[in-house]
Amino acid sequence: MLEAGLREDPFDLIDIETPAYERNALGAEDLQRLLAYRPHRSVDNHVRLIFLLGCFTGLAFSDLKKLRMEDVYTLGDGRRYLSICRTKTQNRSIVPLLPIAEEILAYVGQGRTEGLWFREFPVNSHFNRKLRELLVKAGCSPHTEASSHTARHTFATTICLENGLPIETVSRMLGHRFISTTELYAKVSKQKIAQEMRPLMGSEQTQRLRRALRVCPPRKGMLEKK
């Protein structure tokens, strides 16, 4: 038997790297396809509208499920807002309603003034399966990875950050406590990078530096070796 305990934690010497998790968001083209698609079955359209509302409000699946009509209010300037305490963190999300979100709520509300917006709500596994089927029917790639949480990432990336909203504003709307959490949602596309770089590429300073560039020709000895 050991007479003395361990003096150091043996696991301190082990460095375990956590693999980066790729968070998926629908791009603008796939989102447009789903907006334009009209399912024949009402149950399919129900799934589609829940997902699209998440894409244009940033609400998580569990928050969409409990969303009540009292959570939407109008300010004195006539603008409509959505305010809800998040199920996961208890932080409050405050989101100005975009026109598409307004249309979806008007459709599912059917003139009601109180209660849940979605009186029937699918379980997550059924929702995810139906969502993938709908995306393929809408013309998206069959390899498109999507789930209920994709809507929240789509709001953060495609709707907000791709259109120039500050990450601090996006963080508040998502109900995050820390900006670092929002950064996990922020997936900047190649198109966005190219768009942001375009003014720099044609700027006067860039052109001036380019004119100042002098490429030194290779020395004669180096050419002979080749």
Side-chain angles (χ1 to χ4, degrees):
M1 296 179 61
L2 294 175
E3 296 182 358
L6 294 173
R7 295 179 179 273
E8 297 180 358
D9 187 348
F11 293 101
D12 283 344
L13 302 177
I14 301 176
D15 185 15
I16 301 177
E17 292 187 5
T18 302
Y21 173 65
E22 185 72 17
R23 289 166 167 80
N24 298 310
L26 287 189
E29 292 183 359
D30 283 342
L31 187 58
Q32 182 63 43
R33 291 186 180 99
L34 189 60
L35 282 166
Y37 177 63
R38 295 293 183 270
H40 297 295
R41 301 177 60 197
S42 59
V43 64
D44 292 344
N45 194 46
H46 191 63
V47 169
R48 170 178 164 269
L49 292 177
I50 291 173
F51 181 78
L52 287 174
L53 186 61
C55 289
F56 286 93
T57 61
L59 291 185
F61 189 72
S62 57
D63 296 327
L64 288 167
K65 182 178 181 178
K66 71 173 187 178
L67 184 64
R68 302 185 63 83
M69 294 189 166
E70 302 92 284
D71 297 325
V72 177
Y73 60 93
T74 305
L75 291 182
D77 59 2
R79 294 182 180 179
R80 301 247 290 169
Y81 287 79
L82 185 156
S83 178
I84 187 172
C85 192
R86 291 201 58 212
T87 302
K88 183 178 180 180
T89 63
Q90 299 305 308
N91 291 338
R92 183 159 293 277
S93 292
I94 301 175
V95 185
L97 284 179
L98 295 170
I100 292 178
E102 288 264 32
E103 291 182 24
I104 294 173
L105 290 177
Y107 179 83
V108 300
Q110 299 177 346
R112 293 179 289 117
T113 57
E114 59 182 16
L116 295 170
W117 283 101
F118 296 101
R119 290 182 290 187
E120 296 181 3
F121 211 86
V123 296
N124 201 17
S125 57
H126 173 75
F127 181 91
N128 291 338
R129 185 174 65 253
K130 279 292 181 184
L131 174 62
R132 287 188 286 269
E133 293 175 1
L134 286 172
L135 288 172
V136 173
K137 291 178 180 178
C140 302
S141 168
H143 302 294
T144 301
E145 296 183 11
S147 67
S148 58
H149 210 55
T150 303
R152 191 162 162 82
H153 296 298
T154 301
F155 176 76
T157 301
T158 307
I159 302 300
C160 295
L161 295 174
E162 292 278 313
N163 288 289
L165 265 70
I167 195 169
E168 294 83 3
T169 303
V170 179
S171 182
R172 180 64 190 276
M173 290 192 292
L174 291 176
H176 288 159
R177 188 174 301 170
F178 305 107
I179 294 291
S180 57
T181 306
T182 313
E183 289 173 344
L184 297 176
Y185 283 69
K187 180 181 178 182
V188 181
S189 68
K190 295 178 181 177
Q191 291 85 350
K192 179 62 174 176
I193 294 173
Q195 178 183 344
E196 295 290 343
M197 285 293 291
R198 195 172 295 123
L200 178 61
M201 298 296 287
S203 69
E204 182 179 347
Q205 182 181 9
T206 302
Q207 296 299 325
R208 186 168 60 251
L209 291 172
R210 184 179 180 183
R211 289 193 296 269
L213 176 64
R214 294 292 183 270
V215 179
C216 297
R219 287 179 294 181
K220 186 176 181 180
M222 295 179 64
L223 291 174
E224 292 176 352
K225 289 180 181 180
K226 292 182 179 180

